């Protein structure tokens, strides 16, 4: 069996920018008040009455070439199971080099001093559950799965739908795909 | 060359992921990278249902060490289907709100509204309340006592008040919210849309929203179905002066001039009828009054509507053709808060008639037949006493088609001598009347006329500050309520069961009602020990298994056919026994039997129509103190059109973030609020999220945040058909906020004002 490569697809057509994913993440991961591992962007373009809008639920892109991991001087940022980019909080010195290196602004300083970010809820995934944001989403806009499996929901999404990633020109090979 | 991930992949196949992922980056080379588990999984997971709004989704509460760690959607519950909206997730923010009412409060020396209380025991507070209510009953009759109630826990109090013998039991959710819609559809089809609404968004091929901002209004199942429909290729038409989140998904967004929806609806009908695009067989078979309708719309051309609505005639034609091309699975969403302009029942009628032309009532993708599980009521041996008629209409001829008590009417009748008898005592359960009734000044004036007023709530909202006795109820996560068996396309039975023990000195509603009854000589009406015994009796009597229900939180039944496609035979309990396109009952009462367009008042020079709505993370003002939900939105903004903002009279160039105040036509000046300059709204109106601008001192988080739309709603137009209060009839001008404005808000925020 091929090694897993976890990824997420985010359907901008389904999303209504309600923020349930953000709050579910905060509750699931018991985050400090100022800590956010995911967030909503609602982008409106054009002039009245010709307007268009895109809703995105954003988080760490769990890149294949993670600039944060390269930037980390202590080895706290690492590539974990299924290609997820994780932080070992015990090794983290809180130097913020990873924050500077991440073009997605996916990391923040936890109240306890270490750098925190989305884990794709690996503690849930390992139990066979979906990440907290995916689990709650009332519009089912978020899919989580294994990109190495051509039959997985995320592989199917990418086959069927037009999609994009953010900041593709940086060559980080992000694994959060926006279905447009 | 291998990149890091490829290296891990190759390695993982031989030595296991955990070991190697650590080894590859392990700087110290001593320990593995442990997967951090935040530890929020419950030791117990208890099903119940939500009360952050009134959709009442099934919730699974995770409890660990006696605390609720997180709330998840119950997959078995037909209204949540395993999902929650942000508010549902934030129920812990209510449960653990440090500002909760913690013990009974009695106002002794202070004046009403001064928000000064003495803490009391339950004995003292209940004795006093029963005594005061008894005095009013004796002196003026039981009808002089009114109950205002919103929320599922209100059932115990409705029962108690019926036992007292008063008909004046009202909820602002009728005359201030969905009432006009219910009456409009009732007149047309012989039934209203109910809650949850009887609509099939999921299977609609085209959805038309008239001012509804689904997605900002987060009724969970509707939003789930909306997303599914969009994903399945359904088309969307949004009629809204504001480019809502839903409008962002629409094939057509029609930025209509506020207050002119009926003109658009009539012009759509004109096109659909003249071009014979309606469901001819369906109308022939099921509808009455088509000839009158055809004559009525003959001159309601798109050109006629263009002048009124601001929408180009060709676009009106195009959208009419578009909407009708998907019939019968072309859903005109009936909306929810429909109290806008005072002609709201007629607008609901126009929507209902348009839906009939599309043949969508009783059809898949339209309006569905619902059913309900048969759960016998508790076998009380006592019946409710006779009473005088309700007092909410100053003359019996007014608002003849209101089929619930008007909260605003009961408030008005509290001013002595204005109705058939005076109201002398209010009990307010779970509804902040200061924010939800129009014109708060009038509400406060009425309160001053009362012999007694009590509030039962979980948070010290403004209405508590105006009360003589305040009783702290336990939150929905701490109590067992009435069993719920709504009408829905899938009938079900749900229980709300306590997840944790009541905090502080709070008590569940059933206990409060029972104790009050005991002190009022009405204990016979509460023959059960507690709500659990009561609920178990009903569930068992219906033949369901209580243990299973406690375990699952919900029992789903077998539904009746929901639409013709499933074998439903359409029938209508209307005047004609058919769909009443033309309404004889309306004609007989002197109202327009077919919807007429009435022009809205024009904004005075330099002023904008004030519109308000919902944010997905909040339910009115009820959740603004919820610190968890407020991590997302803790303030409201006023939306101002970008072109208008380039040169705003008296202001100059207005930018997003600029602090302004709104001053309404009666000179009421709002709290300071940030401007949001945007292309997303017409230039003749402004918009804000409802429920901000709290002044209650006890709401230590919410007080002084944002501006109150309620305070600016000093004018309202009453719907002559059913008494709904149209509240979108106020105008504001914009000024820059002064230092004094900001200082005032700061004083409120600091609890000094």
């Amino acid at each position: 069996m091929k090694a897993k490569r976890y990824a997420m697809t985010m359907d901008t057509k389904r999303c209504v920018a309600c923020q349930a994913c953000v709050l579910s993440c905060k509750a699931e991961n018991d985050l400090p008040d100022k800590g956010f591992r995911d967030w909503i962007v609602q982008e409106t373009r054009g002039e009245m009455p010709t307007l268009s809008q895109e809703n995105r639920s954003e988080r760490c892109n769990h890149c294949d070439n993670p600039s944060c991991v390269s930037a980390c001087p202590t080895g706290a940022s690492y590539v974990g199971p299924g290609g997820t980019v994780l932080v070992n909080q015990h090794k983290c010195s809180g130097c913020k080099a990873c924050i500077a290196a991440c073009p997605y602004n996916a990391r923040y300083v936890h109240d306890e001093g270490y750098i925190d970010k989305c884990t794709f809820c690996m503690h849930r995934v390992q139990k066979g559950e979906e990440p907290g944001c995916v689990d709650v989403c009332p519009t089912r806009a978020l899919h989580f799965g294994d990109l190495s499996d051509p039959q997985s929901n995320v592989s199917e999404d990418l086959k069927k739908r037009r999609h994009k990633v953010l900041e593709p020109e940086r060559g980080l090979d992000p694994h959060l795909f926006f279905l447009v | 060359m291998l990149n890091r991930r490829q290296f891990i992949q190759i390695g993982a196949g031989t030595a296991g992921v955990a070991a190697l992922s650590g080894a590859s980056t392990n700087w110290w080379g001593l320990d593995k990278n442990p997967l951090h588990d935040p530890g929020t999984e419950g030791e117990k997971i208890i099903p119940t249902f939500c009360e952050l709004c009134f959709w009442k989704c099934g919730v699974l509460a995770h409890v660990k060490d006696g605390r609720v760690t997180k709330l998840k959607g119950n997959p078995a519950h037909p209204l949540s289907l395993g999902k929650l909206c942000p508010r549902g997730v934030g129920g812990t923010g209510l449960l653990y709100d440090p500002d909760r009412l913690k013990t009974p409060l009695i106002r002794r020396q202070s004046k009403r509204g001064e928000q000064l209380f003495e803490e009391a025991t339950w004995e003292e507070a209940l004795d006093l309340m029963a005594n005061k209510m008894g005095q009013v009953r004796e002196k003026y009759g039981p009808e002089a006592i009114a109950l205002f109630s919103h929320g599922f826990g209100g059932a115990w109090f409705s029962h108690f008040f019926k036992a007292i013998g008063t008909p004046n039991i009202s909820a602002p959710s009728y005359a201030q919210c969905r009432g006009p819609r219910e009456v409009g559809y009732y007149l047309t089809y012989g039934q209203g849309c109910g809650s949850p609404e009887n609509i099939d968004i999921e299977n609609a091929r085209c959805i038309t929203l008239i001012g509804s901002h689904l997605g900002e209004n987060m009724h969970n199942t509707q939003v789930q179905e909306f997303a599914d429909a969009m994903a399945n290729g359904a088309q969307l038409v949004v009629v809204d002066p504001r480019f809502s989140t839903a409008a962002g998904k629409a094939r057509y967004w029609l930025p209509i001039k506020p207050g002119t929806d009926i003109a658009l609806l009539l012009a759509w009908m004109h096109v659909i009828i003249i071009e014979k695009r309606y469901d001819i067989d369906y109308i022939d078979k099921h509808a009455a009054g088509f000839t009158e309708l055809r004559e009525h719309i003959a001159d309601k051309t798109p050109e006629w509507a263009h002048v009124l609505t601001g929408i180009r005639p060709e676009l009106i034609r195009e959208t009419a053709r578009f909407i009708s091309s998907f019939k019968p699975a072309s859903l005109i969403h009936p909306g929810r808060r429909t109290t806008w302009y005072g002609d709201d029942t007629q607008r609901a009628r126009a929507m209902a008639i348009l839906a009939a032309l599309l043949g969508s009532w009783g059809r898949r993708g339209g309006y569905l037949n619902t059913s309900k599980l048969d759960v016998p009521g508790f076998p009380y041996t006592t019946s409710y006493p006779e009473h005088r008629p309700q007092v909410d209409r100053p003359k019996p001829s007014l608002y003849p088609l209101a089929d619930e008590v008007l909260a605003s009417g009961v408030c008005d009748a509290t001013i002595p001598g204005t109705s058939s008898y005076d109201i002398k005592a209010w009990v307010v359960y779970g509804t902040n009347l200061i924010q939800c009734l129009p014109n708060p000044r009038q509400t406060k004036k009425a309160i001053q006329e009362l012999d007694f007023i009590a509030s039962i709530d979980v948070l010290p909202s403004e209405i508590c500050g105006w009360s003589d006795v305040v009783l702290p109820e336990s939150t929905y996560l701490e109590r067992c309520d009435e069993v719920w068996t709504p009408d829905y396309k899938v009938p079900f039975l749900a229980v709300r069961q306590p997840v944790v023990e009541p905090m502080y000195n709070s008590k569940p509603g059933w206990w409060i009602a029972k104790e009050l009854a005991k002190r009022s000589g009405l204990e016979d009406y509460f023959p059960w020990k507690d709500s659990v015994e009561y609920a178990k009796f009903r569930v068992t009597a219906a033949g369901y298994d209580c243990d299973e229900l406690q375990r699952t939180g919900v029992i789903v039944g077998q539904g009746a056919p929901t639409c013709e496609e499933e074998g439903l035979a359409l029938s209508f309990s209307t005047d004609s026994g058919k769909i009443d396109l033309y309404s004889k009952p309306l004609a007989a009462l002197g109202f327009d039997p077919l919807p007429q367009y009435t022009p809205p008042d024009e904004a005075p020079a330099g002023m904008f129509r004030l519109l308000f709505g919902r944010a997905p993370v909040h339910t009115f003002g009820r959740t603004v103190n919820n610190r968890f939900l407020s991590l997302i939105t803790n303030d409201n903004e006023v939306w101002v059109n970008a072109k208008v903002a380039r040169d705003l009279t008296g202001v100059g160039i207005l930018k997003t973030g600029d602090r302004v105040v709104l001053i309404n036509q009666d000179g009421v000046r709002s709290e300071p609020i940030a401007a949001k300059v945007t292309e997303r709204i017409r230039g003749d109106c402004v918009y804000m999220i409802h429920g901000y601008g709290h002044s209650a001192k006890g709401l230590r988080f919410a007080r002084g945040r944002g501006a109150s739309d309620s305070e600016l709603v000093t004018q309202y137009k009453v719907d002559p058909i059913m008494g709904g209060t149209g509240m979108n009839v106020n105008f504001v001008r914009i000024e820059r906020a002064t230092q004094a404005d900001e200082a005032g808000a700061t004083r409120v925020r600091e609890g000094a004002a």
Side-chain angles (χ1 to χ4, degrees):
Chain A
M1 205 176 84
K2 223 175 149 194
K4 287 188 190 306
R5 180 46 169 118
Y6 293 126
M8 198 177 274
T9 58
M10 195 275 126
D11 191 338
T12 61
K13 295 290 177 194
R14 279 181 171 263
C15 178
V16 294
C18 79
Q19 313 262 5
C21 51
V22 180
L23 289 169
S24 178
C25 172
K26 288 189 77 81
E28 175 61 43
N29 293 297
D30 194 20
L31 300 185
D33 283 356
K34 287 184 182 143
F36 290 89
R37 290 183 178 180
D38 58 352
W39 59 92
I40 291 288
V41 175
Q42 184 169 63
E43 251 174 27
T44 311
R45 291 206 172 86
E47 272 186 42
M48 174 135 177
T50 315
L51 297 172
S52 67
Q53 191 165 70
E54 183 172 281
N55 301 315
R56 292 194 303 270
S57 169
E58 298 186 4
R59 58 188 53 60
C60 170
N61 284 252
H62 297 275
C63 304
D64 256 359
N65 304 310
S67 52
C68 51
V69 173
S70 310
C72 178
T74 68
S77 283
Y78 69 101
V79 177
T84 53
V85 175
L86 302 173
V87 177
N88 181 338
Q89 51 182 264
H90 305 294
K91 291 186 194 170
C92 177
S93 68
C95 77
K96 303 181 199 162
C98 56
I99 292 181
C102 174
Y104 303 108
N105 203 14
R107 294 169 167 245
Y108 71 95
V109 184
H110 191 281
D111 286 359
E112 288 170 23
Y114 59 86
I115 307 301
D116 192 47
K117 62 176 287 298
C118 166
T119 63
F120 269 165
C121 280
M122 271 303 120
H123 65 287
R124 288 175 61 87
V125 171
Q126 292 215 325
K127 288 186 280 185
E129 296 170 332
E130 293 185 312
C133 54
V134 178
D135 178 62
V136 76
C137 178
T139 64
R140 296 182 176 81
L142 295 165
H143 284 164
F144 173 82
D146 178 11
L147 213 51
S148 311
D149 172 4
Q151 259 92 53
S152 72
N153 53 356
V154 288
S155 299
E156 290 291 334
D157 281 344
L158 297 188
K159 266 181 264 176
K160 284 184 195 147
R161 294 282 302 273
R162 235 164 27 89
H163 56 269
K164 66 175 183 185
V165 294
L166 299 180
E167 311 260 355
E169 64 284 357
R170 291 178 189 261
L172 303 179
D173 203 352
H175 276 64
L176 170 57
F177 299 92
F178 297 92
L179 309 178
V180 294
Chain B
M1 210 179 112
L2 293 178
N3 66 23
R4 189 192 308 271
R5 185 175 76 83
Q6 287 160 332
F7 171 62
I8 293 162
Q9 280 180 347
I10 292 161
T14 56
V17 173
L20 257 160
S21 59
S24 66
T25 57
N26 192 339
W27 190 56
W28 286 278
L30 297 171
D31 55 344
K32 293 174 186 172
N33 286 311
L35 262 191
H36 178 69
D37 189 326
T40 55
E41 196 66 10
E43 291 154 353
K44 284 187 295 183
I45 300 174
I46 303 171
T48 187
F49 62 83
C50 190
E51 183 92 351
L52 266 285
C53 85
F54 306 100
W55 201 252
K56 302 191 274 287
C57 295
V59 163
L60 298 178
H62 286 243
V63 183
K64 191 178 176 185
D65 302 327
R67 278 184 74 85
V68 180
T69 49
K70 61 188 174 190
L71 300 165
K72 299 274 179 183
N74 183 352
H77 196 289
L79 293 185
S80 49
L81 303 168
K83 307 292 179 182
L84 285 181
C85 86
R87 299 164 301 172
V89 175
T92 45
L94 173 67
L95 176 63
Y96 299 119
D97 191 321
D99 299 336
R100 270 181 62 177
L101 291 165
K102 298 183 178 77
T103 198
L105 302 172
I106 296 176
R107 181 179 67 82
R108 295 207 193 268
Q109 307 301 328
S110 60
K111 291 193 187 119
R112 281 195 184 129
E114 285 186 346
Q115 310 183 52
L116 293 171
F117 296 94
E118 289 178 21
E119 293 188 353
T121 64
W122 276 100
E123 287 296 314
E124 284 174 304
L126 291 168
D127 284 350
L128 177 66
M129 186 164 162
N131 182 20
K132 291 281 187 186
M133 286 172 68
Q135 284 173 15
V136 171
R137 265 169 89 189
E138 214 160 281
K139 204 165 160 192
Y140 305 100
E143 299 89 344
I145 307 176
L147 172 69
F148 298 88
S149 166
H150 198 188
F152 197 64
W156 312 113
F157 296 93
S158 294
H159 173 58
F160 170 50
F161 275 66
K162 285 177 193 162
I164 291 175
T166 177
N168 295 309
I169 299 172
S170 70
S173 53
Y174 184 74
Q176 281 64 55
C177 190
R178 58 180 174 77
R181 179 197 79 185
E182 291 302 277
V183 174
Y185 278 76
Y186 172 80
L187 284 164
T188 314
Y189 295 104
Q191 68 172 91
C193 297
S195 175
E197 282 80 2
N198 61 338
I199 48 176
D200 189 13
I201 298 175
E202 184 183 4
N203 293 304
R205 302 291 304 130
C206 179
I207 300 160
T208 301
L209 301 178
I210 315 279
S212 293
H213 51 344
L214 204 54
E216 285 156 283
N217 190 354
M218 282 302 294
H219 289 133
N220 189 352
T221 338
Q222 283 200 16
V223 174
Q224 292 190 30
E225 291 195 16
F226 177 59
D228 286 344
M230 298 313 293
N232 292 334
Q235 298 295 330
L236 179 64
V237 176
V238 173
V239 180
D240 198 320
R242 189 177 65 95
F243 188 74
S244 59
T245 295
K249 300 181 184 302
R251 171 76 175 269
Y252 292 100
W253 171 48
L254 308 181
I256 194 167
K257 178 179 172 182
T260 66
D261 309 87
I262 294 178
L264 174 68
L265 289 160
L266 291 171
W268 272 349
M269 289 187 224
H270 173 95
V271 176
I272 290 170
I273 291 175
I274 299 297
E275 298 184 1
K276 292 201 166 38
R277 292 173 187 275
Y278 60 99
D279 190 330
I280 296 170
D281 293 345
Y282 181 93
I283 290 292
D284 282 352
K285 195 171 163 200
H286 297 301
F290 182 72
T291 312
E292 290 90 338
L293 176 65
R294 195 175 52 204
E295 279 166 26
H296 180 66
I297 53 82
D299 57 350
K300 310 295 188 296
T301 61
E303 286 70 22
W304 165 80
H306 167 222
V307 183
L308 308 169
T309 61
I311 303 168
R312 287 181 291 112
E314 53 272 31
L315 191 54
I316 295 176
R317 279 204 174 79
E318 192 178 324
T319 45
R321 290 167 188 158
F322 185 76
I323 289 167
S324 59
S325 70
F326 296 96
K327 71 177 181 296
S330 186
L331 175 67
I332 307 297
H333 191 292
R336 188 137 167 140
R337 186 182 77 81
T338 43
T339 45
W340 299 350
Y341 303 104
D343 59 355
D344 305 302
T345 303
Q346 291 291 11
R347 186 183 62 254
R349 278 268 300 151
M351 291 160 69
I353 294 168
L354 175 59
L357 293 175
L358 299 168
S360 66
W361 184 276
R363 297 279 190 69
R364 183 168 287 149
Y367 295 76
L368 299 178
N369 179 51
T370 56
S371 49
K372 183 178 167 120
L373 292 184
D374 183 21
V375 179
F378 194 88
Y380 293 111
T381 53
T382 42
S383 54
Y384 296 132
E386 296 286 311
H387 51 68
R388 286 179 280 172
Q390 68 211 49
V391 79
D392 58 338
R393 289 147 233 197
K395 281 186 291 184
S397 58
L398 279 178
Y399 323 130
L401 291 171
D403 53 4
E404 288 185 30
V405 179
L406 311 169
S408 37
V410 176
C411 178
D412 293 347
T414 305
I415 304 292
T418 57
S419 194
S420 50
Y421 55 90
D422 297 341
I423 292 287
K424 287 292 177 187
W426 288 10
V427 174
V428 186
Y429 174 84
T431 173
N432 187 10
L433 295 181
I434 304 295
Q435 273 198 342
C436 65
L437 293 179
N439 198 359
R441 280 161 186 74
Q442 192 172 310
T443 309
K444 291 168 189 170
K445 200 173 136 210
I447 290 171
Q448 299 291 18
E449 298 290 346
L450 291 167
D451 285 8
F452 180 70
I453 171 170
S455 292
I456 302 155
D457 218 323
V458 292
L459 284 169
S461 64
E462 279 74 14
I463 191 68
C464 295
W466 285 87
S467 298
D468 303 335
V469 169
V470 181
L471 301 180
E473 201 195 9
S474 309
T475 66
Y476 73 102
L477 291 167
E478 303 163 300
R479 62 183 203 235
C480 171
D481 276 342
E482 174 65 288
V483 293
W484 192 40
T485 56
D487 272 298
Y488 193 54
K489 55 186 175 185
V490 194
F492 66 90
L493 187 165
V495 283
R496 173 173 286 153
Q497 46 188 346
V499 166
V500 286
E501 289 293 309
M503 290 175 72
Y504 315 115
N505 193 13
S506 69
K507 293 284 186 186
W510 66 264
W511 183 89
I512 300 171
K514 188 173 155 79
E515 288 294 316
L516 284 170
K518 199 160 79 186
R519 286 165 170 77
S520 309
L522 298 167
E523 57 266 67
D524 288 354
Y525 287 89
F526 290 81
W528 31 265
K529 179 168 73 70
D530 56 23
S531 60
V532 174
E533 183 183 291
Y534 169 95
K536 279 189 172 170
F537 186 94
R538 288 196 64 198
V539 171
T540 310
Y544 297 108
D545 181 352
C546 284
D547 294 336
E548 188 200 338
L549 190 56
Q550 277 181 301
R551 218 167 34 246
T552 58
V554 65
I555 289 172
V556 180
Q558 203 58 33
T562 60
C563 53
E564 277 197 334
E565 291 84 342
E566 291 179 1
L568 174 72
L570 286 180
S571 66
F572 305 95
S573 48
T574 51
D575 183 61
S576 66
K578 293 188 163 193
I579 301 170
D580 276 348
L581 303 175
Y582 178 95
S583 175
K584 284 184 186 159
L586 280 178
L589 290 163
F591 299 117
D592 293 325
L594 287 159
Q596 290 282 6
Y597 166 73
T598 45
D601 292 334
E602 293 296 327
M607 298 188 99
F608 306 89
R609 187 179 292 274
L610 175 66
L611 302 177
F612 52 93
R614 307 275 295 265
V617 294
H618 286 301
T619 304
F620 332 138
R622 296 167 58 90
T623 56
V624 172
N625 205 64
N626 185 316
R627 289 161 173 81
F628 184 67
L629 294 177
S630 297
L631 293 169
I632 304 290
T633 310
N634 63 18
D635 214 346
N636 61 354
E637 301 167 306
V638 57
W639 295 38
V640 181
N641 171 270
K643 283 188 191 69
V644 166
R646 278 179 214 157
D647 185 18
L648 188 60
T649 316
V651 171
I653 302 168
L654 186 71
K655 293 201 190 73
T656 290
D658 285 358
R659 303 282 292 173
V660 297
V661 291
L662 307 177
I663 298 146
N664 83 351
Q665 68 283 328
D666 296 318
V668 173
R669 190 178 181 89
S670 78
E671 301 83 357
I673 180 172
K676 172 183 170 130
V677 174
T678 175
E679 294 285 344
R680 293 178 60 186
I681 191 164
R682 282 174 61 98
D684 54 0
C685 51
V686 294
Y687 172 83
M688 60 203 280
I689 302 294
H690 167 70
Y692 280 90
H694 281 278
S695 58
K697 283 184 188 172
L699 299 175
R700 287 178 297 171
F701 183 82
R703 67 189 184 199
R705 279 180 195 271
S708 165
D709 55 301
S710 309
E711 292 288 335
L712 296 167
V713 178
T714 50
Q715 301 289 327
Y716 54 96
K717 278 197 176 163
V718 182
D719 190 321
I721 298 174
M722 52 62 68
T725 56
M727 294 182 276
N728 294 12
V729 298
N730 291 271
F731 299 98
V732 293
R733 63 191 165 84
I734 302 171
E735 276 184 14
R736 288 200 187 274
T738 63
Q739 276 184 344
D741 290 320
E742 297 291 358
T746 305
R747 275 198 302 278
V748 176
R749 263 199 300 282
E750 288 169 355

